[in-house]
Amino acid sequence: AQKITQTQPGMFVQEKEAVTLDCTYDTSDPSYGLFWYKQPSSGEMIFLIYQGSYDQQNATEGRYSLNFQKARKSANLVISASQLGDSAMYFCAMSPTNAGNNRKLIWGLGTSLAVNP
Amino acid sequence: DAGVIQSPRHEVTEMGQEVTLRCKPISGHDYLFWYRQTMMRGLELLIYFNNNVPIDDSGMPEDRFSAKMPNASFSTLKIQPSEPRDSAVYFCASAAAGANVLTFGAGSRLTVL
């Protein structure tokens, strides 16, 4: 069965430091995508970064990068130079990418990140 | 584009009342999703549509829940009758046919007393 595991319920980081949020996944699909979303206290879900299973390089978007280790089935989010505005819940998610009309995302339970000044 | 628009943002109702949540997806997006978020269960996919047709409603909790998409720019999620355990944040999201990313609305926070 497909599953996303985020083992860190809460994380703390000092402002301007880097932080890694863990995500492991389980799937038998040969082609899949991995996502990270941010949910600040205001409640909206904000897309951060996407990694395709066949992408050769790790995805990067500004201060966000995805450390994709396919053999270990991990897709950790790295936030560099943390800012106070990074304090939020972070969700990892996965979906098949070659499954016709199947657009179901499997979600982790999230990691709460607090950035300390 | 204004993004995915949901209404109401907050709804407080009494048990037994009918609740209707509304969503306007991003123009041109072919997929529309309804999610429910609670502390206990996280994000749950309730139903999603492709070109206004329901594709998967296996996440709809029970017959009290129904969703419609009468046209490409509007969808509703209805709960009748509502119960306290339906209290949650309900998100609508949309996606383009060739894209992997979902764009979420701001959510509708429902409280059933």
Side-chain angles (χ1 to χ4, degrees), chain A residues 6 15 25-26 31-32 52 79 89 92 95 101:
Chain A
Q6 294 181 253
E15 192 178 9
Y25 61 92
D26 194 10
S31 179
Y32 50 90
I79 306 175
M89 282 290 290
C92 180
S95 75
N101 225 6

Side-chain angles (χ1 to χ4, degrees), chain A residues 67-90:
Chain A
N67 184 1
F68 180 47
Q69 298 188 44
K70 196 169 183 177
R72 299 179 65 180
K73 293 189 173 181
S74 74
N76 298 339
L77 177 70
V78 180
I79 306 175
S80 63
S82 298
Q83 301 172 357
L84 296 179
D86 294 334
S87 296
M89 282 290 290
Y90 289 82

Side-chain angles (χ1 to χ4, degrees), chain A residues 1-3 25-32 54 73 94 96:
Chain A
Q2 295 183 324
K3 187 177 180 182
Y25 61 92
D26 194 10
T27 182
S28 57
D29 289 318
S31 179
Y32 50 90
Y54 289 117
K73 293 189 173 181
M94 173 178 65

Side-chain angles (χ1 to χ4, degrees), chain B residues 20 51 53 64 67 91-92:
Chain B
T20 299
N51 292 323
V53 176
R64 298 184 297 105
F91 285 102
C92 176

Side-chain angles (χ1 to χ4, degrees), chain A residues 35 37 39 43 45 47 50 91 97 101-105 107 109, chain B residues 31 33 35 37 43 48 50 55-56 58 91 99-102 104:
Chain A
F35 305 77
Y37 280 81
Q39 187 176 39
M45 295 286 287
F47 166 73
Y50 168 80
F91 292 93
T97 53
N101 225 6
N102 183 356
R103 298 297 297 269
K104 293 180 76 166
L105 277 173
W107 293 83
L109 293 179
Chain B
Y31 287 87
F33 304 78
Y35 279 90
Q37 186 179 36
L43 269 162
Y48 74 97
N50 180 25
I55 301 300
D56 188 333
S58 59
F91 285 102
N100 297 304
V101 176
L102 272 62
F104 282 78

Side-chain angles (χ1 to χ4, degrees), chain B residues 22-90:
Chain B
R22 298 171 178 81
C23 176
K24 176 178 167 52
I26 291 174
S27 177
H29 280 191
D30 297 316
Y31 287 87
L32 184 139
F33 304 78
W34 282 102
Y35 279 90
R36 177 171 69 176
Q37 186 179 36
T38 61
M39 289 293 292
M40 293 299 294
R41 300 171 69 93
L43 269 162
E44 303 173 276
L45 177 64
L46 301 178
I47 185 171
Y48 74 97
F49 296 82
N50 180 25
N51 292 323
N52 314 337
V53 176
I55 301 300
D56 188 333
D57 65 354
S58 59
M60 296 286 263
E62 49 198 272
D63 291 345
R64 298 184 297 105
F65 285 70
S66 62
K68 294 182 180 179
M69 192 164 186
N71 57 62
S73 59
F74 184 66
S75 177
T76 59
L77 178 68
K78 188 172 292 187
I79 308 172
Q80 166 63 19
S82 58
E83 297 182 3
R85 61 190 167 125
D86 302 330
S87 297
V89 179
Y90 291 81

